[in-house]
Amino acid sequence: MSNRQSDLATEEIDVTATAARPTSPLSTADQTRRFAVVGAEIFCVVGTLFGIGVLGTRVEESSGGALAATATLVAPAGPAFSIWTPIYLGLLGYAVWQLAPANAVRERVRSTGWLAAASMVLNALWLLVTQQGWIWVSVVVIVALALTLGLLVLRLTREAPRSTWERVLLDGTFGLYLGWVAVATCANVTAALVDSGVDLGATGNQVAAVVVVAVAAGLGVVLARRLGGRWAVAAAMAWGLAWIAVGRLGDEPRSPATGIAAVVAALVVLAAAQRWHRTQDLGGR
């Protein structure tokens, strides 16, 4: 090997080593935050075991069935909830990924780590609250979760991810998480109202359901505009809305008006993402 080739090889090794090292020292705050995220993830897993019926009652059977797929006109059909599989796997992967010192000192991780931990705790708390049948408390919790995720993803827009893993585990996971929770919040509020005895009659209920779906579409447009048209967010929202359509067009309670409105809403959310999608290489899109 020539001296020039040797020098180039040495430079390449130096660059790789520099990239692997933290860009700044791992502080006490970093140490506390990264282990708090792991603790929050463990709590989230425990809450999930309650939610799927391993330790408690399944969500669709809790709260007197108020959250079942057939309980209201804006409840997504059962298969919609399979989106939690990639979300939960992503949260687990993120909890492990952010432990690495090189990742823990990233500004993106520092500015969002506590929010990520809070989202995991709120997720588990929602599942535990519904076990008790506290439907309106669950509304408060899910609204807090939606706001937490909205702020988290907004902060992610400040800087592009540096690796595919970061793009998937941070941007992708929390984008899907936010999009799904946005739709779930609308469904949760509706479930609480119905469970409280609000009944506008056959026609009135359908009109109200269409309005709720329209609100979800409007929220999708706002998120697209504020977050630069993140595809992960839009895809999760469109997924939830599409399964509302499936439920209302093919299952009870049937409501063609709500089903059609949900299809239109899903298309609006995707169109909004396309409209405000940034050409920069930002993650989770």
Side-chain angles (χ1 to χ4, degrees), residues 16-256:
T16 303
T18 300
R21 290 195 299 265
T23 55
S24 62
L26 190 66
S27 67
T28 301
D30 292 324
Q31 294 274 30
T32 302
R33 185 194 64 252
R34 63 181 186 157
F35 287 110
V37 168
V38 172
E41 169 61 15
I42 293 173
F43 184 51
C44 184
V45 170
V46 172
T48 302
L49 293 177
F50 275 94
I52 63 177
V54 175
L55 297 178
T57 304
R58 293 188 304 168
V59 171
E60 57 267 34
E61 297 170 358
S62 64
S63 299
L67 299 168
T70 58
T72 73
L73 291 175
V74 294
F81 298 93
S82 62
I83 194 174
W84 280 113
T85 299
I87 292 174
Y88 281 142
L89 288 176
L91 290 176
L92 177 60
Y94 164 77
V96 175
W97 174 84
Q98 59 87 45
L99 279 173
N103 298 326
V105 299
R106 291 285 315 282
E107 179 54 35
R108 297 182 97 220
V109 178
R110 283 175 166 169
S111 66
T112 60
W114 283 109
L115 292 172
S119 76
M120 297 173 189
V121 170
L122 287 169
N123 188 312
L125 185 60
W126 185 89
L127 291 165
L128 295 175
V129 162
T130 58
Q131 292 285 308
Q132 302 301 315
W134 299 338
I135 189 71
W136 279 107
V137 177
S138 75
V139 169
V140 174
V141 174
I142 201 169
V143 168
L145 175 57
L147 293 174
T148 298
L149 291 170
L151 179 58
L152 189 159
V153 178
L154 180 62
R155 289 184 178 180
L156 290 180
T157 63
R158 299 173 181 172
E159 181 185 345
R162 295 182 182 176
S163 68
T164 299
W165 277 114
E166 182 180 342
R167 185 189 304 276
V168 172
L169 296 177
L170 191 51
D171 299 83
T173 296
F174 289 101
L176 289 177
Y177 198 179
L178 171 59
W180 172 255
V181 169
V183 175
T185 299
C186 296
N188 200 162
V189 172
T190 303
L193 289 170
V194 172
D195 186 64
S196 297
V198 175
D199 187 349
L200 304 178
T203 301
N205 288 338
Q206 293 194 61
V207 171
V210 171
V211 170
V212 171
V213 169
V215 169
L219 181 57
V221 172
V222 171
L223 290 175
R225 185 171 184 177
R226 291 296 304 276
L227 304 176
R230 287 184 166 244
W231 286 116
V233 177
M237 291 196 72
W239 171 268
L241 289 165
W243 280 106
I244 290 176
V246 171
R248 300 297 67 80
L249 295 173
D251 200 356
E252 297 297 332
R254 290 182 63 84
S255 174

